[in-house]
Amino acid sequence: MKKFFAMMLVVLMVLSMTACGKKEEGSSIDKIKDAGKLVVGTSADYPPYEFHTEIDGEDTIVGFDISIAQAIADALDVELEIVDMSFDNLLMSLANDEFDMVIAGMTADDERKKTTDFSVPYLESKNLILVRAEDADKYTSLEDLEGAKGGAQTGSKPFEHCVTYCGEESSVGLKKVQDLVMELEAGKLDVVFLDYMTVLSYADAKDSLVAVDVNIPVTSDGYSVALKKGNTELTEFVNGVLEDLKEAGKIEEFIVEAKKLEGAEE
Ligand code: ARG
């Protein structure tokens, strides 16, 4: 028994030594190349950023964020693996090394920058609200939102807007955007706060819903790739890829492609 424990101890020591050694010598980019894949976390409930659709009878995650992820994987010459989870868990999972980066229509603001690093923005961020068509004239300014039953995705920036403008007691946070839309259609919510392109996607897809601009102030630089705090090497690499994509007009192209795939998501 004693011998067994002694042996286990040696094994553990050797294991931890190799683990430490690896950390020191391998850069974050080398690690991804060694693994042969880039693992990207997202919350695929946000057309046209990222959403589920059926391609050749198979459930597939698509969207312009996914095209950006693919471009980064291509630049690294590795495969892309997407991990889909609820939006409010993404940054925690990133900090716990569950993936290499998060691409999820994530707004880079000062609060998040305290614990997470962000790439340069790849698109300007804007917010609209989604309401029932018959209510379109009811909400024309931020003041009109006071006391309205508001909903937004848990852990999202739009949820903060919801609380600010509808009031804490009138705000509901749900994990899935599709559920917010359902509650709105059912009359359980009056307004849903989302990023502008997602609002437009749902307004397009559903006759009963419309997009309304109530001039929610812009409080960030835009949408960015989120990376683990301190991972400067990978952040700089991602910045390089994004600058190239922007310069070549690729982001706009990706958005057009993503919009074409819309409509099939649940
Ligand atoms: N832009 C907002 C934020 O960062 C919402 C993003 C939601 N993204 C998603 N894939 N559901 O808080």
Side-chain angles (χ1 to χ4, degrees):
M1 206 54 174
K2 239 186 189 164
K3 235 184 194 165
F4 174 74
F5 277 122
M7 243 164 76
M8 280 304 282
L9 208 66
V10 172
V11 169
L12 278 176
M13 266 161 64
V14 171
L15 275 179
S16 63
M17 262 156 62
T18 43
C20 291
K22 223 179 193 163
K23 219 180 226 157
E24 270 161 31
E25 75 193 30
S27 73
S28 54
I29 289 180
D30 288 343
K31 249 165 59 192
I32 293 169
K33 290 196 176 205
D34 286 349
K37 61 178 183 185
L38 174 71
V39 187
V40 175
T42 197
S43 168
D45 60 352
Y46 223 54
Y49 300 79
E50 46 267 333
F51 55 102
H52 287 264
T53 196
E54 242 180 53
I55 293 178
D56 299 330
E58 236 176 88
D59 175 55
T60 313
I61 295 174
V62 294
F64 73 88
D65 277 349
I66 307 303
S67 303
I68 292 173
Q70 186 63 59
I72 298 169
D74 290 348
L76 288 162
D77 200 21
V78 294
E79 294 290 313
L80 173 64
E81 183 181 312
I82 298 288
V83 178
D84 186 17
M85 63 165 65
S86 93
F87 183 78
D88 58 344
N89 284 329
L90 283 171
L91 291 185
M92 184 65 88
S93 303
L94 174 69
N96 288 336
D97 292 314
E98 281 173 45
F99 20 74
D100 300 307
M101 55 188 71
V102 168
I103 311 185
M106 177 89 59
T107 310
D109 72 341
D110 291 339
E111 188 59 37
R112 286 180 178 154
K113 282 181 190 164
K114 286 182 197 160
T115 50
T116 309
D117 283 347
F118 285 95
S119 70
V120 293
Y122 52 86
L123 201 71
E124 205 184 311
S125 84
K126 274 182 273 179
N127 290 274
L128 292 176
I129 56 168
L130 192 64
V131 301
R132 284 181 298 278
E134 68 261 29
D135 286 349
D137 302 329
K138 234 174 158 172
Y139 304 102
T140 53
S141 72
L142 290 173
E143 288 75 51
D144 299 333
L145 295 171
E146 217 181 299
K149 278 178 276 166
Q153 186 164 41
T154 317
S156 73
K157 291 296 145 186
F159 183 69
E160 293 172 15
H161 300 146
C162 184
V163 171
T164 306
Y165 301 115
C166 293
E168 183 128 42
E169 320 76 57
S170 315
S171 296
V172 175
L174 295 180
K175 278 187 186 276
K176 277 194 79 181
V177 173
Q178 280 74 13
D179 292 336
L180 290 164
V181 174
M182 260 167 50
E183 301 264 284
L184 177 65
E185 287 181 293
K188 291 187 196 147
L189 292 173
D190 297 322
V191 282
V192 169
F193 292 71
L194 300 164
D195 287 279
Y196 73 113
M197 271 197 274
T198 306
V199 167
L200 294 175
S201 290
Y202 279 109
D204 269 356
K206 298 186 184 274
D207 289 340
S208 64
L209 303 178
V210 292
V212 174
D213 189 357
V214 284
N215 294 312
I216 296 170
V218 175
T219 51
S220 87
D221 306 334
Y223 308 111
S224 294
V225 177
L227 298 111
K228 192 177 177 171
K229 189 104 200 140
N231 198 347
T232 322
E233 187 199 30
L234 193 55
T235 305
E236 274 164 15
F237 183 86
V238 169
N239 283 345
V241 176
L242 291 177
E243 295 297 2
D244 288 348
L245 290 176
K246 285 200 275 185
E247 211 161 294
K250 281 284 177 192
I251 309 277
E252 286 75 17
E253 248 174 64
F254 291 162
I255 294 173
V256 172
E257 279 168 28
K259 297 288 295 176
K260 279 194 206 147
L261 293 167
E262 268 179 25
E265 81 270 17
E266 4 103 73

